[in-house]
Amino acid sequence: MGGEQLSQAADIGPDEAMVVEPATFGRLIDLLRDRGYRTIGPTLEDGAIVYDEIASAGELPVGLTDRQEAGEYRVLERGDEALFGYNLGPRSWKHYLFPPSLRLFAARRRGAGFEIEPPEPEPTALAFIGIRPCELAAMGVQDRVLRDGAHFDPHYAAARDGAFLVAVQCGQAAATCFCTSMGTGPRATGGYDLAVTELLDEGEHRLLLEARTERGRDVLAALEPTPATSTERARAAAATERAESQMNRTLDTEDLPAILERGVEHPRWAEVAERCLSCANCTMVCPTCFCHTVEDVNDLAGEHTERWRRWDSCFTGGHAYIHGGDFRPSVRGRYRQWLSHKLGTWHEQFGTSGCVGCGRCITWCPVGIDLTEEVAALRTEPAAPQEPLTEEER
Ligand code: SF4
Ligand code: SF4
């Protein structure tokens, strides 16, 4: 794998805050590319701000913001030159760490047998620019599942450990954010190489940078920053306080796994199933969902075969198909599985919630289903006990 460092960099603790002009940010991208990284950052594509490869600061969505609500997303002009004046788009970093499709291996017939073709060349190490605090937390959740636990994924581990992480502290919250409920934002306190806080008030525009690893410190020094003044540090603190004060949505996590377990027959599951399209959008945009399927693709002559891993979802019919039948045929059962796993049994399985409060599943649900509303409803006692469900309804 290209890039200067293959293993995850050690956290050196809080370093002195430094400041650069916004124009210097382009040099950061150049520096990372010079050091062999493929730089991935926010950019405008098809009417949304998504993460994709960027070669210069000119590709950042400068002066843009977004308006988000349940089932609604719009990019708008801000009227200033902000580099990070928006919240999350539909594409999370899992797109790069756990890609939507990945060839696992290929084989070719050789006489009566076959041989495995050489693996793909090692991919170039990635530099992620613009990771929000809740997204860092989501990486931590996926680390437990895909790198540090029983289900080790070498592709994930290589991409994750080789990546240089540039976090952005949030200076504003979208209407769908609820990271404060999940304890994941709006300020990251570690887990990155460099963190940026955009100072864009009182007629000044500067970037406050904090290094948290040796390699972050090294890159930061090359930008020739100046030490932040006490006023600039106070403005940085005020930026994340502003984001926190804008957070309107909440999710009460108290006893949630037990409440979800007790509420397995709650009538709310049937109500939400009336609206849910089982389209799987919520799981595709979620930064922690990892369900996938494996497909073998053979040529017609039977000479060549490939095995691919592709994203799947607990909302698709095929995902629960085993041994001649689908054990989760109803939308009610699929929505319940998703929410109960994400917020309940994930704790038992992986020692943490599967939700970081990013709000993507709310914004990108085509019918505006909001898990914070669903949890609030599931917390209420049903007015009357539900009739026993048939197998099909489960
Ligand atoms: S469940 Fe929704 S809010 Fe929670 S991490 Fe996934 S997409 Fe974000
Ligand atoms: S909750 Fe919304 S996004 Fe998720 S499957 Fe149902 S309709 Fe699709």
Side-chain angles (χ1 to χ4, degrees):
M1 181 173 280
E4 62 186 346
Q5 196 151 346
L6 290 174
S7 58
Q8 194 176 11
D11 193 316
I12 55 171
D15 219 357
E16 188 182 7
M18 308 297 278
V19 165
V20 298
E21 298 294 327
T24 306
F25 203 75
R27 277 177 52 210
L28 171 65
I29 298 174
D30 297 341
L31 275 169
L32 291 169
R33 292 176 78 82
D34 288 347
R35 288 168 194 226
Y37 290 101
R38 186 177 156 222
T39 44
I40 312 292
T43 194
L44 184 67
E45 273 179 27
D46 299 330
I49 297 169
V50 298
Y51 303 128
D52 205 343
E53 182 157 8
I54 54 170
S56 72
E59 294 175 69
L60 293 171
V62 177
L64 297 182
T65 189
D66 50 30
R67 187 183 70 225
Q68 304 195 35
E69 248 309 339
E72 185 187 327
Y73 177 92
R74 291 286 180 278
V75 172
L76 305 166
E77 298 278 348
R78 283 175 56 100
D80 61 20
E81 294 294 308
L83 298 177
F84 299 103
Y86 40 84
N87 290 97
L88 300 177
R91 188 178 296 167
S92 75
W93 301 101
K94 87 173 174 185
H95 190 88
Y96 297 95
L97 298 173
F98 187 77
S101 61
L102 178 73
R103 195 175 83 161
L104 298 175
F105 70 83
R108 184 166 292 284
R109 187 187 294 278
R110 283 281 175 264
F114 65 90
E115 70 182 24
I116 301 293
E117 293 186 350
E120 306 268 3
E122 287 285 313
T124 305
L126 303 169
F128 294 153
I129 297 165
I131 312 166
R132 302 302 177 137
C134 64
E135 298 185 297
L136 278 174
M139 285 181 194
V141 172
Q142 286 214 322
D143 288 349
R144 285 170 181 245
V145 180
L146 298 168
R147 188 189 64 180
D148 304 336
H151 313 288
F152 181 74
D153 171 7
H155 306 281
Y156 177 89
R160 171 75 168 100
D161 290 343
F164 188 100
L165 307 182
V166 181
V168 169
Q169 310 286 17
C170 288
Q172 62 181 51
T176 43
C177 295
F178 59 99
C179 64
T180 47
S181 296
M182 308 311 289
T184 59
R187 180 168 188 81
T189 53
Y192 51 77
D193 292 290
L194 269 181
V196 182
T197 310
E198 187 158 33
L199 309 178
L200 185 62
D201 49 18
E202 298 169 23
E204 285 185 42
H205 188 189
R206 308 193 89 190
L207 300 171
L208 183 139
L209 298 172
E210 293 161 286
R212 197 77 194 217
T213 60
E214 284 293 351
R215 66 185 183 184
R217 186 186 278 171
D218 178 47
V219 167
L220 178 54
L223 297 176
E224 300 170 348
T226 54
T229 63
S230 56
T231 308
E232 287 164 334
R233 287 199 301 275
R235 285 171 64 203
T240 44
E241 282 163 16
R242 181 174 61 235
E244 191 165 349
S245 71
Q246 291 172 353
M247 205 105 29
N248 291 324
R249 270 184 168 77
T250 56
L251 189 144
D252 181 359
T253 57
E254 178 87 25
D255 282 338
L256 195 46
I259 286 165
L260 290 167
E261 192 178 345
R262 280 200 302 275
V264 72
E265 304 288 14
H266 199 291
R268 184 69 181 194
W269 300 117
E271 289 166 33
V272 71
E274 291 286 312
R275 299 169 61 208
C276 176
L277 308 172
S278 202
C279 68
N281 256 20
C282 47
T283 53
M284 299 294 112
V285 297
C286 178
T288 67
C289 280
F290 52 76
C291 283
H292 58 276
T293 188
V294 174
E295 293 173 359
D296 287 345
V297 184
N298 305 314
D299 71 350
L300 289 175
E303 294 296 319
H304 186 256
T305 188
E306 296 186 350
R307 178 160 292 175
W308 285 79
R309 184 183 75 190
R310 299 191 201 282
W311 284 0
D312 200 355
S313 166
C314 47
F315 283 96
T316 65
H319 195 64
Y321 184 90
I322 53 166
H323 210 59
D326 178 357
F327 63 80
R328 202 175 292 126
S330 71
V331 175
R332 174 188 182 278
R334 291 179 195 170
Y335 188 87
R336 184 180 63 186
Q337 158 62 24
W338 177 65
L339 198 76
S340 301
H341 185 218
K342 183 104 342 210
L343 299 171
T345 50
W346 202 296
H347 284 275
E348 193 181 327
Q349 198 177 5
F350 302 116
T352 177
S353 174
C355 176
V356 296
C358 75
R360 281 188 173 101
C361 58
I362 304 172
T363 299
W364 295 94
C365 174
V367 293
I369 293 172
D370 175 347
L371 81 171
T372 66
E373 270 177 23
E374 297 312 309
V375 166
L378 288 160
R379 282 182 170 280
T380 61
E381 282 298 319
Q386 202 187 14
E387 293 292 314
L389 299 168
T390 64
E391 276 303 308
E392 277 294 293
E393 288 168 329
R394 287 174 180 274

